[in-house]
Coordinates of all heavy atoms in Angstrom, one line a residue:
T124 N 55.0 -10.2 11.6 CA 56.1 -9.4 12.2 C 55.5 -8.6 13.4 O 56.2 -8.4 14.4 CB 56.7 -8.4 11.2 OG1 55.7 -7.5 10.8 CG2 57.3 -9.1 10.1
F125 N 54.2 -8.2 13.3 CA 53.6 -7.5 14.4 C 53.4 -8.4 15.6 O 53.8 -8.1 16.7 CB 52.1 -7.1 14.0 CG 51.3 -6.7 15.1 CD1 51.4 -5.4 15.7 CD2 50.4 -7.5 15.7 CE1 50.6 -5.0 16.8 CE2 49.6 -7.2 16.8 CZ 49.7 -5.9 17.3
Y126 N 53.0 -9.7 15.4 CA 52.7 -10.6 16.5 C 54.1 -11.0 17.1 O 54.2 -11.2 18.3 CB 51.9 -11.8 16.1 CG 50.5 -11.4 15.8 CD1 50.0 -11.1 14.5 CD2 49.6 -11.2 16.8 CE1 48.7 -10.7 14.2 CE2 48.3 -10.8 16.6 CZ 47.8 -10.6 15.3 OH 46.6 -10.1 15.1
I127 N 55.1 -11.3 16.3 CA 56.4 -11.6 16.8 C 56.9 -10.5 17.7 O 57.4 -10.8 18.8 CB 57.3 -12.0 15.6 CG1 56.9 -13.2 14.9 CG2 58.8 -12.1 16.1 CD1 57.6 -13.5 13.6
R128 N 56.9 -9.3 17.2 CA 57.4 -8.1 17.9 C 56.6 -8.0 19.2 O 57.2 -7.7 20.3 CB 57.3 -6.9 17.1 CG 57.7 -5.6 17.9 CD 57.7 -4.4 16.9 NE 56.4 -4.2 16.2 CZ 55.4 -3.6 16.8 NH1 55.4 -3.1 18.0 NH2 54.2 -3.4 16.1
F129 N 55.3 -8.1 19.2 CA 54.4 -7.9 20.3 C 54.8 -8.9 21.4 O 54.9 -8.6 22.6 CB 53.0 -8.0 19.9 CG 52.0 -7.7 21.0 CD1 51.6 -6.4 21.2 CD2 51.5 -8.7 21.8 CE1 50.7 -6.0 22.2 CE2 50.6 -8.3 22.8 CZ 50.2 -7.0 23.0
F130 N 54.9 -10.2 21.0 CA 55.2 -11.3 22.0 C 56.6 -11.2 22.5 O 56.8 -11.4 23.7 CB 54.9 -12.6 21.4 CG 53.4 -13.0 21.4 CD1 52.5 -12.6 20.5 CD2 52.9 -13.8 22.5 CE1 51.2 -13.0 20.5 CE2 51.6 -14.1 22.6 CZ 50.7 -13.7 21.6
L131 N 57.6 -10.9 21.7 CA 58.9 -10.7 22.2 C 59.1 -9.6 23.2 O 59.9 -9.6 24.1 CB 59.9 -10.5 21.0 CG 60.1 -11.8 20.1 CD1 61.1 -11.4 19.0 CD2 60.7 -12.9 20.9
T132 N 58.3 -8.5 22.9 CA 58.4 -7.4 23.8 C 57.7 -7.6 25.2 O 58.3 -7.3 26.2 CB 57.6 -6.2 23.2 OG1 58.2 -5.9 21.9 CG2 57.7 -4.9 24.0
Y133 N 56.6 -8.2 25.2 CA 55.8 -8.3 26.5 C 55.9 -9.7 27.2 O 55.5 -9.8 28.4 CB 54.3 -8.0 26.2 CG 54.2 -6.5 25.8 CD1 53.8 -6.2 24.5 CD2 54.4 -5.5 26.7 CE1 53.7 -4.9 24.1 CE2 54.2 -4.2 26.4 CZ 53.9 -3.9 25.0 OH 53.7 -2.5 24.7
L134 N 56.3 -10.7 26.4 CA 56.3 -12.1 27.1 C 57.2 -12.1 28.3 O 56.9 -12.7 29.3 CB 56.7 -13.1 26.0 CG 56.5 -14.6 26.4 CD1 55.0 -14.8 26.7 CD2 57.0 -15.5 25.3
P135 N 58.5 -11.6 28.2 CA 59.3 -11.6 29.4 C 58.8 -10.8 30.6 O 59.1 -11.1 31.8 CB 60.6 -11.0 28.9 CG 60.6 -11.1 27.4 CD 59.2 -11.0 27.1
L136 N 57.9 -9.9 30.3 CA 57.4 -9.0 31.4 C 56.1 -9.6 32.0 O 55.8 -9.5 33.2 CB 57.1 -7.6 30.9 CG 58.3 -6.8 30.3 CD1 57.8 -5.5 29.6 CD2 59.3 -6.6 31.4
L137 N 55.2 -10.2 31.1 CA 53.9 -10.5 31.6 C 53.6 -12.0 31.5 O 52.6 -12.4 32.1 CB 52.9 -9.8 30.7 CG 53.0 -8.3 30.6 CD1 52.0 -7.7 29.6 CD2 52.7 -7.7 31.9
G138 N 54.4 -12.8 30.8 CA 54.1 -14.2 30.7 C 53.0 -14.4 29.6 O 52.5 -13.5 29.1
V139 N 52.7 -15.7 29.3 CA 51.8 -16.0 28.2 C 50.4 -15.5 28.5 O 49.8 -14.8 27.6 CB 51.8 -17.5 28.0 CG1 50.7 -17.9 26.9 CG2 53.1 -18.1 27.6
K140 N 49.9 -15.7 29.6 CA 48.5 -15.3 29.9 C 48.4 -13.7 30.0 O 47.5 -13.1 29.5 CB 48.0 -15.8 31.3 CG 47.8 -17.3 31.3 CD 47.3 -17.8 32.6 CE 47.0 -19.3 32.7 NZ 46.5 -19.7 34.0
G141 N 49.5 -13.1 30.5 CA 49.5 -11.7 30.5 C 49.5 -11.0 29.2 O 48.9 -10.0 28.9
V142 N 50.3 -11.6 28.3 CA 50.4 -11.1 26.9 C 49.1 -11.3 26.2 O 48.6 -10.3 25.5 CB 51.5 -11.8 26.1 CG1 51.5 -11.5 24.6 CG2 52.9 -11.5 26.7
L143 N 48.5 -12.4 26.3 CA 47.2 -12.6 25.6 C 46.1 -11.7 26.2 O 45.3 -11.1 25.5 CB 46.7 -14.1 25.8 CG 47.6 -15.1 25.1 CD1 47.1 -16.5 25.5 CD2 47.6 -14.9 23.6
G144 N 46.2 -11.5 27.5 CA 45.2 -10.6 28.2 C 45.4 -9.1 27.7 O 44.5 -8.4 27.5
L145 N 46.7 -8.7 27.6 CA 47.0 -7.4 27.1 C 46.5 -7.2 25.7 O 45.9 -6.1 25.4 CB 48.5 -7.1 27.2 CG 49.0 -5.8 26.6 CD1 48.4 -4.6 27.4 CD2 50.5 -5.7 26.7
H146 N 46.8 -8.2 24.9 CA 46.4 -8.0 23.5 C 44.8 -7.9 23.4 O 44.3 -7.1 22.6 CB 46.8 -9.3 22.7 CG 46.5 -9.2 21.2 ND1 45.5 -9.8 20.7 CD2 47.2 -8.5 20.2 CE1 45.4 -9.6 19.4 NE2 46.4 -8.8 19.1
L147 N 44.1 -8.7 24.1 CA 42.7 -8.7 24.1 C 42.2 -7.3 24.7 O 41.2 -6.8 24.1 CB 42.1 -9.8 25.0 CG 40.6 -9.9 25.0 CD1 40.0 -10.2 23.6 CD2 40.1 -11.0 26.0
L148 N 42.8 -6.8 25.7 CA 42.4 -5.5 26.2 C 42.6 -4.4 25.2 O 41.8 -3.5 25.1 CB 43.2 -5.2 27.5 CG 43.0 -3.9 28.2 CD1 41.5 -3.7 28.7 CD2 44.0 -3.6 29.3
V149 N 43.8 -4.4 24.6 CA 44.1 -3.4 23.6 C 43.0 -3.4 22.4 O 42.5 -2.4 22.0 CB 45.5 -3.6 23.0 CG1 45.7 -2.7 21.8 CG2 46.5 -3.3 24.0
R150 N 42.7 -4.6 22.0 CA 41.7 -4.8 20.9 C 40.3 -4.4 21.3 O 39.6 -3.8 20.5 CB 41.7 -6.2 20.3 CG 43.0 -6.7 19.6 CD 43.4 -5.7 18.5 NE 44.5 -6.2 17.8 CZ 45.3 -5.4 17.1 NH1 45.1 -4.1 17.0 NH2 46.3 -5.9 16.4
F151 N 40.0 -4.6 22.6 CA 38.7 -4.3 23.1 C 38.6 -2.7 23.2 O 37.6 -2.2 22.7 CB 38.6 -4.9 24.5 CG 37.3 -4.4 25.3 CD1 36.1 -4.9 25.0 CD2 37.5 -3.4 26.2 CE1 35.0 -4.4 25.6 CE2 36.4 -2.9 26.9 CZ 35.1 -3.4 26.6
I152 N 39.6 -2.0 23.7 CA 39.5 -0.6 23.7 C 39.5 0.0 22.3 O 38.8 0.9 22.0 CB 40.7 0.0 24.6 CG1 40.6 -0.6 26.0 CG2 40.7 1.5 24.5 CD1 41.8 -0.2 26.9
E153 N 40.4 -0.5 21.5 CA 40.5 0.0 20.1 C 39.2 -0.2 19.4 O 38.7 0.7 18.6 CB 41.6 -0.8 19.4 CG 41.7 -0.4 17.9 CD 42.5 -1.4 17.1 OE1 43.0 -2.5 17.7 OE2 42.7 -1.2 15.9
S154 N 38.5 -1.3 19.6 CA 37.2 -1.6 18.9 C 36.2 -0.6 19.3 O 35.4 -0.1 18.4 CB 36.8 -3.1 19.3 OG 35.6 -3.4 18.6
N155 N 36.1 -0.3 20.6 CA 35.1 0.7 21.0 C 35.4 2.1 20.3 O 34.5 2.7 19.8 CB 35.1 0.9 22.5 CG 34.4 -0.2 23.2 OD1 33.2 -0.1 23.4 ND2 35.1 -1.3 23.6
W156 N 36.6 2.4 20.3 CA 37.1 3.7 19.7 C 36.7 3.7 18.2 O 36.1 4.6 17.7 CB 38.6 3.8 19.9 CG 39.2 5.2 19.6 CD1 38.8 6.1 18.7 CD2 40.4 5.7 20.2 NE1 39.6 7.2 18.7 CE2 40.6 7.0 19.6 CE3 41.3 5.3 21.2 CZ2 41.7 7.8 19.9 CZ3 42.3 6.1 21.5 CH2 42.5 7.3 20.9
F157 N 37.1 2.6 17.5 CA 37.0 2.5 16.1 C 35.5 2.6 15.7 O 35.1 3.3 14.8 CB 37.6 1.2 15.6 CG 37.3 0.9 14.2 CD1 38.0 1.6 13.1 CD2 36.4 0.0 13.8 CE1 37.7 1.3 11.8 CE2 36.1 -0.3 12.5 CZ 36.8 0.3 11.5
V158 N 34.7 1.8 16.4 CA 33.2 1.7 16.0 C 32.5 3.0 16.2 O 31.7 3.4 15.3 CB 32.5 0.5 16.8 CG1 31.0 0.6 16.5 CG2 33.1 -0.8 16.3
W159 N 32.7 3.7 17.3 CA 32.0 4.9 17.6 C 32.4 6.0 16.5 O 31.5 6.7 16.0 CB 32.3 5.5 18.9 CG 31.5 4.8 20.0 CD1 32.0 3.9 20.9 CD2 30.1 4.9 20.2 NE1 31.0 3.4 21.7 CE2 29.8 4.0 21.3 CE3 29.1 5.6 19.6 CZ2 28.5 3.9 21.7 CZ3 27.8 5.4 20.1 CH2 27.5 4.6 21.1
V160 N 33.7 6.0 16.1 CA 34.1 7.0 15.1 C 33.5 6.7 13.7 O 33.0 7.6 13.0 CB 35.6 7.1 15.0 CG1 36.1 7.9 13.8 CG2 36.2 7.7 16.3

């Protein structure tokens, strides 16, 4: 349900490559935040 919601929300705005890039960017920033804490 998370991935369905995420793709339905951003796919019309960013396209497939944009959605995948956004998801990777979010996880990258989150990962730095999470690991340091």
Side-chain angles (χ1 to χ4, degrees):
T124 65
F125 165 82
Y126 289 99
I127 292 172
R128 175 175 56 83
F129 188 87
F130 277 85
L131 287 179
T132 302
Y133 294 109
L134 194 60
L136 301 173
L137 303 174
V139 176
K140 291 183 179 179
V142 170
L143 295 176
L145 174 63
H146 184 261
L147 182 62
L148 176 64
V149 168
R150 293 305 185 203
F151 171 78
I152 297 173
E153 175 194 5
S154 186
N155 281 275
W156 191 332
F157 171 79
V158 171
W159 281 108
V160 170

